[in-house]
Amino acid sequence: MFERILLCAASLAMIASCNAAKTSAQIPSAPKIAVHVPQVTFSPEVWETCGSEIIPSIKITTPPHNERTSYRFEYEGDGAVELPDAVVLEPGSTTLAVRSPFRTNPVKETAQGIVRVVWSHPEAGERVVGQWTVVQRPSILKEMRVARADDLVDAEAWDVTYAITVELDPVEEWVEQSINDHRDVTFQASTGGSDSDPIIQVFSDVSSDDYPSFPRELVPAGPYKVFVVCAKRPKHPSRKRPFVQVKARSGGDEIERYLKLPF
């Protein structure tokens, strides 16, 4: 009798163990959700500055996260860059916008460094997800050259035309060479805006090759930008001799000239 009781107890224990194993096998473990590491890109791709500030366009190429994440900035290299505060993104957000600009001060020698973007996620930890090249130099704009060139455009539509080239500092061999594709020069021409001021028109981002009669003495050996300014006599005569103020800017550097008009 005692042996039969032990046998029954052993059988019951084995059945319970099998049922427990079956029940455990029927409950699948929760799948792990993949964390997509973002990639951050800047526009402009390279920042050339001689002491200025900028709020770049920053793009995140990743689906939105379900957790709160943060992005902070670090600078490594020569020179110094004042960085904006870290940006915290709420769940579902995909816009990375800084509230304060990146800033640099004037330098005596050309320096290059990198702004790194450090992403922080509750599960993935911290990762470097983007970088931005910064080139600091004492100057960017080297020289502005101006020449009278009335035959560049329709002489019947305009009374005077000027061809203008803005020469830029050459890029050193050790500096990021892609900067040549992203050097931006803002050009502006102005008079005053009253009836006694001449009417002007500016052609920017053109090539000297677009004009067969472009004055070749204006074309420098180094990198440069081309601009054409046309002016027409004012509707009403003025006691003061009219002029056009032209100004070129790039990364905090500036060149300004005053062109006296021959009427």
Side-chain angles (χ1 to χ4, degrees), residues 21-59:
K22 180 182 289 188
T23 303
S24 176
Q26 289 175 348
I27 301 175
S29 59
K32 292 184 178 181
I33 300 175
V35 177
H36 297 281
V37 178
Q39 291 184 348
V40 175
T41 56
F42 288 79
S43 181
E45 295 182 15
V46 180
W47 181 28
E48 184 180 29
T49 171
C50 65
S52 61
E53 62 180 41
I54 187 174
I55 297 181
S57 174
I58 307 177
K59 183 179 180 181

Side-chain angles (χ1 to χ4, degrees), residues 1 11 20 25 31 34 38 62 76 83 88 96 104 129 131 141 147 160 165 172 200 212 223 230 237 247 252:
M1 177 65 70
S11 299
T62 184
E76 180 180 348
L83 305 171
V88 176
L96 181 57
T104 63
V129 295
Q131 64 181 34
L141 307 178
V160 61
T165 58
E172 297 84 347
I200 61 174
C230 304
K247 186 180 296 186

Side-chain angles (χ1 to χ4, degrees), residues 35-38 70-72 117-121 123-130:
V35 177
H36 297 281
V37 178
S70 67
Y71 295 79
R72 62 181 175 86
V117 186
V118 181
W119 172 68
S120 179
H121 187 276
E123 296 181 10
E126 288 192 340
R127 306 275 189 93
V128 175
V129 295

Side-chain angles (χ1 to χ4, degrees), residues 3 16 28 53 75 83 106 118 129 135 143 156 184 191 221 227 229 252:
E3 293 178 352
E53 62 180 41
Y75 180 74
L83 305 171
V118 181
V129 295
V135 178
E143 183 182 2
E156 295 182 0
D184 181 43
T191 53
F227 307 93
V229 177

Side-chain angles (χ1 to χ4, degrees), residues 57-209:
S57 174
I58 307 177
K59 183 179 180 181
I60 306 175
T61 56
T62 184
H65 291 97
N66 297 324
E67 303 83 5
R68 172 186 278 197
T69 58
S70 67
Y71 295 79
R72 62 181 175 86
F73 305 98
E74 298 177 346
Y75 180 74
E76 180 180 348
D78 297 328
V81 176
E82 182 179 336
L83 305 171
D85 295 334
V87 180
V88 176
L89 296 189
E90 297 298 331
S93 178
T94 58
T95 301
L96 181 57
V98 295
R99 296 185 177 180
S100 58
F102 294 82
R103 292 189 177 93
T104 63
N105 294 319
V107 294
K108 295 182 179 180
E109 296 181 354
T110 300
Q112 179 172 290
I114 293 176
V115 171
R116 290 191 173 91
V117 186
V118 181
W119 172 68
S120 179
H121 187 276
E123 296 181 10
E126 288 192 340
R127 306 275 189 93
V128 175
V129 295
Q131 64 181 34
W132 188 35
T133 301
V134 180
V135 178
Q136 303 175 64
R137 60 172 66 254
S139 66
I140 299 175
L141 307 178
K142 185 175 182 180
E143 183 182 2
M144 178 185 290
R145 306 181 186 184
V146 182
R148 182 88 174 262
D150 294 346
D151 54 348
L152 288 184
V153 298
D154 186 1
E156 295 182 0
W158 302 98
D159 294 310
V160 61
T161 297
Y162 291 98
I164 301 172
T165 58
V166 177
E167 185 178 4
L168 290 81
D169 290 333
V171 178
E172 297 84 347
E173 292 183 0
W174 55 270
V175 169
E176 173 60 50
Q177 291 300 304
S178 65
I179 195 174
N180 287 297
D181 300 327
H182 303 285
R183 304 185 91 177
D184 181 43
V185 176
T186 301
F187 184 84
Q188 180 182 10
S190 60
T191 53
S194 67
D195 291 341
S196 59
D197 291 317
I199 300 172
I200 61 174
Q201 183 173 353
V202 179
F203 298 92
S204 301
D205 297 328
V206 297
S207 171
S208 58
D209 295 334

